[in-house]
Amino acid sequence: MVSAPVPAALARAGAVLTIDLAAVAANWRSLVARAPGAEVSAVVKADAYGLGAAPVARALAAAGCKTFFVAHLEEGAALRDALPEARIFVLHGPNPGTEAEFAAFGLIPVLNDIVQVKNWAAFAKACGAAQPAAIQVDTGMTRLGLSRAEFDALTADKTAIAAIAPALLMSHFACADTPAHPQNAQQIERFSGFVRSLPGVKAALSASSGIFLGPAAHFGLVRPGIALYGGNPTEAAENPMKPVIRLSARVVHVQDIDAPQRVGYGATYAAPGPGRLATVAIGYADGFLRSIGTGAAETPVFADAKGAKARLVGRISMDLATYDIGAAPAGSIVPGDTIDVIGKYASIDGLAKAGGTISYELLTRLGPRLHRIYTNGAAP
Ligand SMILES: *Cc1c(COP(=O)(O)O)cnc(C)c1O
């Protein structure tokens, strides 16, 4: 008999990352409902924030998403394999000399600098046909994009504009996650000025948080990333998005302590005794950030141990973390079981906060050692 490869791999795995593609699609649909006047694209750079660009993008395409963004040419080329029909933008634009590869893979570059613009226009001229590109303008982020003066010079050059055949005019918010920040209105105002100067071209300003600033921020297309993956794009305590991932770590060791005892590197945590601890196979080498454990005294971090709330104790090691499982019935947690270190009792935003970072960084650090399972609707 041929052994089934997936269960075998699962049995061997230390920690399992379950990714619910139906939840990703549901999150995309809820953004479609929230931005009814705009096309809702999907940002799948950095391997869809660590969750797997090909399966995530296929699920989104099946839900109706037609436009995707990646950061690099290599990411675009790989995504083209997964999505032969989709419109794919490459945010960083072409490195000089790679223009022809964009055309070969059917990728649309975002032109972020006047040198990229000139190279692309020269490439189009050499092709003898207009080559579509997106134009990024700077409205206050001061990261990428043409200045107003550079943009005005470009739009005055009708030959260059005709060669570039603008497919999208875009810019990026710096402060959309803080709705009351005065820079939001300022960026909308500046961007509207650019939009008026390039009539007939679709415009895009908002990523996930921008969508929640309301219709004035939507323009013709929105570019969500983190909201698709279950991160909270709003300031509200209640996350409007569905959770997408569950991270389950294998119990390696269970120990009863009958007196107070210090746990882990640096002996930083004094576990009260008597009690029970479980050590699980996940650590900072898997992206379970060490900083999550060092801040544990102020912000307790919990895992779901078969329904019981288990508290993270002591420092996170490279490959291991320890939880107080005193709340679980005696004998209910044994080696080989898993506890959910991201799940019911630990959201990606909550864990990131405990570790002094943001959900984006937490997701994109999830390591290759995690065994990834894709589900279609099974609650993560
Ligand atoms: C990463 C990125 C996005 C997606 O941002 P989220 O906050 O994850 O929604 C959108 N636009 C640009 C230009 C980006 O770099």
Side-chain angles (χ1 to χ4, degrees), residues 43 45 49 91 136 143 170-172 206-209 223-227 360:
V43 178
K45 63 190 177 189
Y49 293 38
L91 289 166
Q136 168 116 258
R143 186 175 68 171
M170 59 175 271
S171 191
H172 194 57
S206 286
S208 297
S209 294
R223 307 183 304 265
I226 195 70
Y360 300 70

Side-chain angles (χ1 to χ4, degrees), residues 80-228:
R80 177 53 75 211
D81 265 353
L83 297 180
E85 306 292 333
R87 188 160 74 135
I88 302 173
F89 287 98
V90 178
L91 289 166
H92 289 0
N95 296 340
T98 62
E99 290 80 10
E101 291 191 67
F102 278 74
F105 288 111
L107 305 173
I108 307 176
V110 176
L111 306 177
N112 301 289
D113 180 279
I114 206 69
V115 170
Q116 288 188 331
V117 168
K118 285 187 176 136
N119 289 344
W120 191 255
F123 169 65
K125 194 170 169 225
C127 293
Q131 297 294 322
I135 298 171
Q136 168 116 258
V137 292
D138 184 23
T139 54
M141 176 73 167
T142 319
R143 186 175 68 171
L144 293 175
L146 307 187
S147 67
R148 183 72 224 199
E150 288 170 329
F151 177 82
D152 288 344
L154 172 62
T155 49
D157 181 349
K158 298 298 169 208
T159 321
I161 279 291
I164 287 169
L168 189 71
L169 175 65
M170 59 175 271
S171 191
H172 194 57
F173 276 120
C175 309
D177 56 349
T178 310
H181 199 292
Q183 188 163 319
N184 294 325
Q186 205 176 64
Q187 288 196 252
I188 291 172
E189 174 74 30
R190 283 189 194 151
F191 189 59
S192 300
F194 284 104
V195 172
R196 280 192 296 273
S197 306
L198 202 60
V201 175
K202 204 176 244 201
L205 178 59
S206 286
S208 297
S209 294
I211 295 170
F212 290 80
L213 295 177
H218 293 169
F219 295 91
L221 180 145
V222 293
R223 307 183 304 265
I226 195 70
L228 300 173

